[in-house]
Amino acid sequence: MARRRQIYEGKAKVLFEGPEPGTLVQYFKDDATAFNNKKKGVITGKGVLNNRISEYLMTRLGEIGVPTHFVRRLNMREQLVREVEIIPVEIVVRNIAAGTFSQRFGMAEGTQLPRSIVEYYYKSDELGDPMVSEEHVTAFGWATTQDLDDIMSMALRVNDFLTGLFLGVGLRLIDFKVEFGRLWQNDEMRIVLADEISPDCCRLWDTKTNEKLDKDRFRRDLGQVEEAYQEVARRLGILPEGGPGDVKGPKTLQ
Ligand code: TMP
Ligand code: ASP
C-alpha cells in the first residue's frame, strides 16, 4: 500500500494514484461504519468480498451497456478504475420499503412500493447526507437537469438488471445506493457509474426466508455479518472455493 500516492481515504475504501494517467487504484478495507460514522467496526474479509462482488456486478452492467469506471480487478483487495469527478449526490433506488424510508413514511419494512422510487441525498458526512430534491441538485450546480436525466435512466436500468440478476440467485433487491462520476475523454464528458456495488450499499433479502444478507446485519447487530457477505458472493458464484483463481459463474435457482 505504501508504494502508491494516496489520493483519498473514505470510510470503506482508499483511492491511490493508478499506474497510468487517468486511472486510480481502489482499495477495499474491512472497516464498516453506519449512521454516518456513529457506529464503527470491522467486518473481517469484507474488503476482499466487496472487491469481488463489485467487480462482478460492474462487469455484468458493462456488458449490457451501462458505462462504469471499472477497468479490472488487480488483486484480492484492489481494482483499477478510471479517474472520475464524483458527483456529490447519492442516488438511492427503492423497490420495497425499508430503513429510513420505512421510518419517514411509517411504512412496515417489506411493503412493496407502487413503483421503484429514486431519491437523492447530498454526499456530506458533516451534514449526515441530507435528502435533497432535483431543485437543490441543479441550483447548487452539482449536476444539470440533463445530467440528472442520464443518471435517473442509468439508475433505473441498473435496478432492473440487478433485480433480475439477484432474483436468479434467490435474493430480493430491496434498495441500493449508487454514485456517478464525470469521465473526461478528449474534452468530452460522460457520466459513468462509479464507487462500488456491494452488500455495503444494497439491501438483499433471501427470497424464501426474508433473511437479511447485507450491511443491516452490522447496523442492527444481527450477527453473522461476514457470513452474509460470503453468502452473497457464494450465490453469485464468485466465492473462491479452491483459491483466488477458482471463479465460477452464478448458480441459477429453479
Ligand atoms: P437508508 O434506508 O438507510 O436510507 O438506505 C437506503 C439504501 O442506501 C440502503 O441499501 C443502504 C444504502 N446506503 C448507503 O449505501 N450509504 C449511505 O450512506 C446510506 C444512508 C444508505
Ligand atoms: N455508509 C454510511 C455510514 O457510514 C451509512 C450507512 O451505510 O448506514 O455512516
Side-chain angles (χ1 to χ4, degrees):
M1 270 175 78
R3 51 211 150 90
R4 301 191 194 96
R5 192 162 70 88
Q6 186 174 312
I7 305 285
Y8 173 83
E9 176 152 16
K11 293 184 293 239
K13 296 188 291 300
V14 187
L15 289 173
F16 296 95
E17 202 169 56
E20 302 133 42
T23 64
L24 296 175
V25 172
Q26 185 165 261
Y27 175 95
F28 288 74
K29 302 192 275 188
D30 284 348
D31 296 355
T33 66
F35 315 115
N36 288 297
N37 243 340
K38 286 192 202 96
K39 182 181 171 96
K40 287 184 211 227
V42 169
I43 304 174
T44 310
K46 171 172 84 81
V48 174
L49 292 164
N50 281 359
N51 186 25
R52 280 245 180 216
I53 294 170
S54 200
E55 169 198 24
Y56 180 77
L57 298 175
M58 291 274 183
T59 304
R60 297 287 85 80
L61 286 164
E63 285 165 0
I64 63 152
V66 175
T68 81
H69 75 157
F70 180 80
V71 180
R72 66 175 180 277
R73 191 169 60 84
L74 296 170
N75 55 49
M76 297 283 274
R77 286 187 184 268
E78 293 177 330
Q79 51 182 240
L80 186 68
V81 299
R82 284 184 216 293
E83 183 169 20
V84 299
E85 193 185 297
I86 291 285
I87 295 170
V89 180
E90 299 192 345
I91 317 295
V92 171
V93 184
R94 302 185 187 264
N95 301 307
I96 291 165
T100 61
F101 188 95
S102 286
Q103 288 165 13
R104 188 175 308 119
F105 296 104
M107 201 179 275
E109 285 209 318
T111 309
Q112 179 81 45
L113 300 177
R115 61 176 171 81
S116 303
I117 294 177
V118 180
E119 297 172 342
Y120 303 124
Y121 293 85
Y122 176 47
K123 206 172 140 59
S124 161
D125 281 342
E126 303 82 73
L127 300 175
D129 294 350
M131 191 177 180
V132 293
S133 74
E134 181 167 345
E135 275 290 288
H136 302 107
V137 176
T138 53
F140 293 132
W142 300 325
T144 65
T145 305
Q146 174 63 53
D147 293 339
L148 280 181
D149 282 352
D150 294 350
I151 286 171
M152 176 80 116
S153 64
M154 278 193 271
L156 290 174
R157 194 134 185 261
V158 169
N159 183 44
D160 284 347
F161 183 77
L162 292 186
T163 294
L165 186 148
F166 281 123
L167 210 50
V169 297
L171 294 169
R172 286 160 86 198
L173 180 59
I174 306 301
D175 56 32
F176 64 93
K177 183 269 297 182
V178 276
E179 295 181 25
F180 291 88
R182 295 176 202 285
L183 178 64
W184 294 92
Q185 276 173 327
N186 311 318
D187 279 347
E188 271 189 34
M189 190 278 288
R190 230 175 15 136
I191 293 182
V192 303
L193 186 62
D195 192 49
E196 68 174 293
I197 308 183
S198 72
D200 266 9
C201 42
C202 296
R203 284 197 173 94
L204 297 164
W205 296 0
D206 182 89
T207 43
K208 292 208 179 88
T209 64
N210 279 335
E211 186 190 3
K212 296 182 196 327
L213 293 168
D214 55 58
K215 201 166 114 180
D216 271 349
R217 300 204 73 84
F218 167 76
R219 292 189 190 97
R220 303 178 189 190
D221 296 320
L222 300 176
Q224 307 263 302
V225 187
E226 290 94 332
E227 290 80 358
Y229 282 68
Q230 266 176 34
E231 179 61 12
V232 172
R234 191 191 66 76
R235 291 196 192 188
L236 291 172
I238 52 176
L239 187 66
E241 281 159 24
D246 186 14
V247 177
K248 297 188 181 72
K251 275 193 219 83
T252 305
L253 294 184
Q254 297 306 311

